[in-house]
Amino acid sequence: LMLAADRLLLQSSIKDQAVKLKSKELDLYERNYGEIGLQSSVLASCAVVAMVELHVPEHVPPFVQMCFNISCILCLAANLNTIASTTTVTVLGSSLALRGPDGSMFRSVEAMNKERRTIFIYFGCGVVFAHFMAIAAAFVKMRPETAIAAACILSLSLYNILSSTRERFNKFWFTDQETIDFSDLWEVGPSARPDQLNRMKIDGVAGGNENSRSNV
């Protein structure tokens, strides 16, 4: 009976630690997606204001007017998609993690991680189209020589954003195989082998001893 009780205690302790780690990862995704959604809402508001408030003079060529209107619509659409994606992912993900069946925390975190690429693409398109909108607005409201200078500055800004973003992605990128996986800990149940539980227990004790020596 004592061995069975120790076994159940070890199982519950391992699962509890795994859930706590996944809970921190869930909070990280919620904060990140919330920030992206906030920035997208600002860009979407700018697109709406540009379409409604910006007066297009009659002497502006129709092609410039078309480019301005299309860039505003594209910027608004991309950022609205970003807002919708971040909102649904955070709401549904947190609901699944907290109210779902056993193991829902892991399912929710993995699903939110898979949505990351799509949300980044939507947000990146929103930033690019915002630059196009600003360039078109420059030709609508400014003199030709001033508009050309503004277009060059905005083009350099867009190039710098794209190149620096690629460098940061390459610097911080990691594959799915390199991701820390807690499925081995979570799947520890009544069918687990004694040597598996003992190994986890020994690793936990060894880790505690190392931490105590480092503290000393």
Side-chain angles (χ1 to χ4, degrees):
L1 293 177
M2 292 298 296
L3 292 177
D6 291 341
R7 181 188 182 93
L8 293 175
L9 180 61
L10 178 59
Q11 291 173 6
S12 62
S13 176
I14 291 173
K15 288 186 177 182
D16 182 62
Q17 294 299 323
V19 169
K20 287 181 180 180
L21 292 174
K22 279 298 180 180
S23 178
K24 292 181 180 180
E25 191 173 356
L26 178 67
D27 293 338
L28 175 65
Y29 282 125
E30 289 179 348
R31 289 196 304 269
N32 291 342
Y33 290 158
E35 290 294 331
I36 293 175
L38 177 62
Q39 302 304 321
S40 294
S41 64
V42 174
L43 293 177
S45 301
C46 292
V48 173
V49 170
M51 288 189 298
V52 175
E53 298 294 336
L54 184 61
H55 174 68
V56 179
E58 296 181 355
H59 62 82
V60 176
F63 177 75
V64 176
Q65 297 182 24
M66 181 188 68
C67 292
F68 172 71
N69 293 326
I70 291 177
S71 62
C72 289
I73 295 298
L74 291 175
C75 178
L76 179 62
N79 287 289
L80 287 178
N81 275 276
T82 306
I83 296 171
S85 299
T86 55
T87 302
T88 54
V89 168
T90 52
V91 172
L92 296 178
S94 59
S95 177
L96 174 63
L98 299 178
R99 303 177 61 186
D102 194 23
S104 297
M105 180 71 70
F106 291 81
R107 285 178 52 197
S108 175
V109 171
E110 293 301 324
M112 294 178 74
N113 181 44
K114 291 179 181 179
E115 293 291 334
R116 180 181 57 179
R117 180 180 178 85
T118 302
I119 292 174
F120 283 166
I121 291 175
Y122 284 149
F123 181 70
C125 291
V127 173
V128 172
F129 293 143
H131 278 77
F132 292 162
M133 180 182 67
I135 292 174
F139 283 95
V140 170
K141 298 296 292 183
M142 301 178 183
R143 296 172 59 88
E145 57 274 12
T146 308
I148 293 174
C152 293
I153 295 173
L154 290 170
S155 299
L156 290 175
S157 172
L158 180 59
Y159 173 77
N160 180 64
I161 290 175
L162 294 177
S163 60
S164 60
T165 301
R166 173 182 289 185
E167 293 178 359
R168 294 187 184 103
F169 265 104
N170 293 331
K171 184 183 299 182
F172 297 107
W173 182 257
F174 56 90
T175 61
D176 293 337
Q177 289 75 16
E178 298 173 336
T179 305
I180 298 176
D181 188 10
F182 300 102
S183 60
D184 293 338
L185 298 180
W186 182 254
E187 292 173 358
V188 174
S191 60
R193 300 187 308 273
D195 59 340
Q196 183 182 11
L197 292 174
N198 291 332
R199 185 174 66 254
M200 293 179 180
K201 187 174 182 180
I202 292 172
D203 292 341
V205 173
N209 292 336
E210 291 179 359
N211 293 331
S212 63
R213 287 197 299 268
S214 62
N215 293 331
V216 173

